[in-house]
Amino acid sequence: MREIIIVVVVALVISLVVKTFFFRAFYIPSGSMEETLQKNDRIFANLMVPGPFELTRGDVVVFRDDQGWLPPIASTVTNPLGEFFAFVGLVPDASNQHLIKRIIGMPGDTVKCCAPDGKLTINGVEITEPYIFPGDAPSEQEFTKVVPEGKLWVMGDHRAESADSRYHEDVQDGFVDISSVEGKASVISWPLDRIGGISNHPEVFSNVPAPKSPAPSK
């Protein structure tokens, strides 16, 4: 019995350390990232991004809803066991508001929609986005954005169903604070038939040049 207790305690401590410093579970509540992520998927986010590892264009990131993009969270019935598993990071915490989108613009980038053929451009270079939901246009809304220092321009892969940076220009011009990012979505952990990594598609952005001038302050 003592050995069992020791094993359980050690496992819980390891889970808590992993949740705090390395990986954390999140739940996908909508179809805004289809087909990369499906509604009801469970994922693990790498909490070392940003941190020891830097964010890059194309990363799928989980960020706190610090700008109030989402409606107030409805009260949910919880139980002590579920709360405990959420605390140690084994299941998603339903009490916190988070969003998940793909980084399109980094600080200093000029993101524009659209080129004559309908594609987005970043720093004047068109990008071809294979992760966009079949049948969706890169964007139905025209925009030109220069991403300020410390900010990100994010968009969902299901462009027609994603209330992303394009739809929140009334709140700090649609930009997300890098400080709000909890981590980079790295692995789909559930359901079993969808387990696998989440790509940031570096080939999409490989020809995008660095910004010509430093990111403006905001």
Side-chain angles (χ1 to χ4, degrees):
M1 180 62 69
R2 183 177 62 182
E3 291 179 354
I4 292 175
I5 292 174
I6 291 173
V7 169
V8 170
V9 170
V10 169
L12 292 176
V13 169
I14 291 174
S15 295
L16 187 57
V17 169
V18 168
K19 173 211 171 181
T20 303
F21 299 105
F22 299 103
F23 290 93
R24 182 177 169 189
F26 290 93
Y27 163 76
I28 307 302
S30 74
S32 69
M33 282 297 296
E34 291 176 339
E35 294 181 320
T36 302
L37 299 172
Q38 303 289 338
K39 186 176 181 180
N40 298 322
D41 279 354
R42 268 67 169 174
I43 66 164
F44 280 106
N46 182 354
L47 304 184
M48 293 186 289
V49 183
F53 302 98
E54 297 303 319
L55 295 167
T56 61
R57 301 184 193 99
D59 285 348
V60 177
V61 292
V62 177
F63 56 97
R64 297 186 306 275
D65 185 27
D66 293 337
Q67 305 304 321
W69 288 12
L70 298 173
I73 191 170
S75 58
T76 56
V77 178
T78 60
N79 61 77
L81 186 60
E83 292 178 354
F84 175 75
F85 284 138
F87 175 72
V88 298
L90 296 178
V91 299
D93 185 352
S95 66
N96 294 322
Q97 293 271 59
H98 291 90
L99 300 103
I100 184 165
K101 305 294 179 188
R102 190 180 298 274
I103 297 175
I104 302 299
M106 293 288 293
D109 285 342
T110 298
V111 185
K112 183 177 181 179
C113 180
C114 294
D117 58 3
K119 295 180 179 179
L120 298 186
T121 67
I122 304 175
N123 301 334
V125 173
E126 292 186 13
I127 59 172
T128 300
E129 303 176 275
Y131 43 74
I132 292 179
F133 188 82
D136 279 4
S139 179
E140 296 291 347
Q141 295 81 18
E142 294 185 354
F143 59 84
T144 300
K145 298 290 180 179
V146 180
V147 185
E149 182 180 356
K151 310 293 184 182
L152 302 169
W153 181 264
V154 298
M155 300 174 74
D157 290 355
H158 197 344
R159 298 287 162 82
E161 297 293 334
S162 178
D164 47 43
S165 287
R166 298 168 295 166
Y167 291 87
H168 296 282
E169 295 185 71
D170 58 325
V171 183
Q172 64 177 26
D173 213 20
F175 299 114
V176 172
D177 296 325
I178 290 178
S179 60
S180 296
V181 176
E182 295 276 7
K184 173 185 173 181
S186 298
V187 176
I188 300 172
S189 60
W190 187 265
L192 294 177
D193 62 350
R194 286 183 45 75
I195 288 178
I198 301 170
S199 176
N200 63 356
H201 291 273
E203 75 282 357
V204 172
F205 307 92
S206 60
N207 293 324
V208 174
K212 292 183 179 180
S213 58
S217 58
K218 184 84 172 182

